[in-house]
Amino acid sequence: MRACWPLLSLFVALLVSPAAAQTRDRCQDGEAQWAGQAFANAISIYSLEWSPFGSQEWGWETYLPLIQKELGTECAPTTPVFAETLSRFQARYALPATGVFDQPTFQVLRGVWQERRPFIMARVNGGPCPDPPPLSQLGYLVAEEEHADRLTRLLRRDVLDAYRRMVAAARAEVPEVARDHELLQIFSGFRDPEADAARCAEQGNCDGVRRAVCSPHRTGTAIDLYVGQIEGLGVDSTNPASRQHMTRGATYRWLVQNAGRFGFVPYVYEPWHWEWVGEP
């Protein structure tokens, strides 16, 4: 395994830009101690067979942007520094500090992310499904904020204001978003609970993943954003290839790093789904 590491490093070097090369070189620190773990992560990121949300998936690249954000590292999973940083996270949560990504580590990460969603935690703790806000607290989106695939009209006013500021920042900071105003449009905002329940029952997907019986969209604080799609698949397709495609894009990666500035937290399984929890 040790002998294969220089070949892997050379392959990665050919793929990165000169600007990224500095980060890559920095991420090679500690190679002697963590090279084996880095090599194991480099394999499993594409080959791990697992079912983190019930359906079989291969690899964990889809979740990498959120994992890197949580670990506080830009280093690729193929690097020793990523492995070392991951080991510190594992130790902090009383996991074996191997530096190798595995399913128990992901379950802890998933729990950390879920705890930042007040709606979910209230439900986990036995709280009732909340009533929707009064209409006086809801504001209308304008046409250029609605994605044509699935029009929505309403969002809580404070959330709508935060969303607009976030989009303005993204267009200023992300060339991809500046070029394509379809990106970050909303295809689902506030959803009337009765209509949502009826649609859920009709489509037979009230399974807690695709469409929960008690959806956070009833609060007017949850938004589904267009972050790209594979041709032929929907804007909210849970196909593993579709979700991977979304999380590879610059739009999603910017959201992971910056949405918190505007009070939004992610739902790890759905790259398009973000919930407003209040600005820091």
Side-chain angles (χ1 to χ4, degrees):
M1 181 177 293
R2 172 68 177 172
C4 295
W5 177 249
L7 294 177
L8 180 62
S9 299
L10 177 60
F11 176 74
V12 172
L14 295 175
L15 298 180
V16 297
S17 66
Q22 293 182 354
T23 299
R24 180 207 62 206
D25 292 342
R26 185 175 66 252
C27 293
Q28 300 302 332
D29 290 344
E31 178 179 342
Q33 181 177 355
W34 298 100
Q37 294 88 329
F39 190 79
N41 290 331
I43 295 174
S44 70
I45 193 170
Y46 300 113
S47 66
L48 177 66
E49 295 184 29
W50 63 326
S51 302
F53 291 93
S55 300
Q56 188 173 33
E57 299 183 28
W58 288 266
W60 46 281
E61 182 191 1
T62 297
Y63 310 104
L64 181 59
L66 283 175
I67 294 171
Q68 289 174 313
K69 170 69 172 177
E70 193 63 41
L71 299 183
T73 182
E74 297 179 351
C75 294
T78 59
T79 64
V81 169
F82 180 92
E84 182 180 10
T85 307
L86 180 61
S87 74
R88 290 198 295 267
F89 173 88
Q90 292 167 326
R92 188 160 64 250
Y93 287 93
L95 294 165
T98 63
V100 176
F101 179 87
D102 56 19
Q103 297 186 52
T105 300
F106 182 77
Q107 289 306 315
V108 171
L109 284 162
R110 179 180 175 182
V112 169
W113 296 325
Q114 290 288 72
E115 288 176 356
R116 294 173 186 156
R117 301 172 64 198
F119 176 90
I120 295 299
M121 295 311 299
R123 298 288 290 155
V124 168
N125 294 326
C129 193
D131 293 327
L135 288 176
S136 61
Q137 293 184 10
L138 298 173
Y140 282 92
L141 281 71
V142 297
E144 57 266 27
E145 294 170 336
E146 297 181 313
H147 194 268
D149 184 77
R150 194 174 306 153
L151 295 182
T152 184
R153 294 294 177 190
L154 297 168
L155 205 60
R156 222 174 68 180
R157 294 180 186 276
D158 49 354
V159 181
L160 182 56
D161 176 67
Y163 160 76
R164 286 170 173 165
R165 288 185 285 107
M166 182 172 70
V167 172
R171 287 180 178 160
E173 299 171 19
V174 188
E176 178 183 83
V177 180
R179 290 192 302 267
D180 183 1
H181 281 206
E182 187 178 14
L183 290 166
L184 295 184
Q185 288 180 338
I186 296 175
F187 62 84
S188 187
F190 170 73
R191 296 205 300 250
D192 176 76
E194 293 184 4
D196 205 33
R199 182 170 59 252
C200 173
E202 177 185 357
Q203 298 178 3
N205 64 354
C206 307
D207 60 6
V209 175
R210 282 299 310 275
R211 183 170 291 129
V213 175
C214 178
S215 168
H217 284 279
R218 68 166 52 214
T219 65
T221 62
I223 54 176
D224 290 344
L225 302 173
Y226 180 72
V227 292
Q229 67 188 115
I230 293 178
E231 186 176 356
L233 297 178
V235 294
D236 60 351
S237 170
T238 56
N239 180 292
S242 173
R243 294 187 295 113
Q244 184 181 74
H245 173 80
M246 295 176 188
T247 61
R248 284 175 171 173
T251 303
Y252 177 78
R253 291 172 180 267
W254 183 90
L255 286 170
V256 168
Q257 295 296 325
N258 296 279
R261 290 161 45 191
F262 306 93
F264 291 95
V265 298
Y267 172 37
V268 58
Y269 183 69
E270 299 177 348
W272 56 86
H273 183 95
W274 297 77
E275 295 172 19
W276 192 79
V277 298
E279 296 181 46

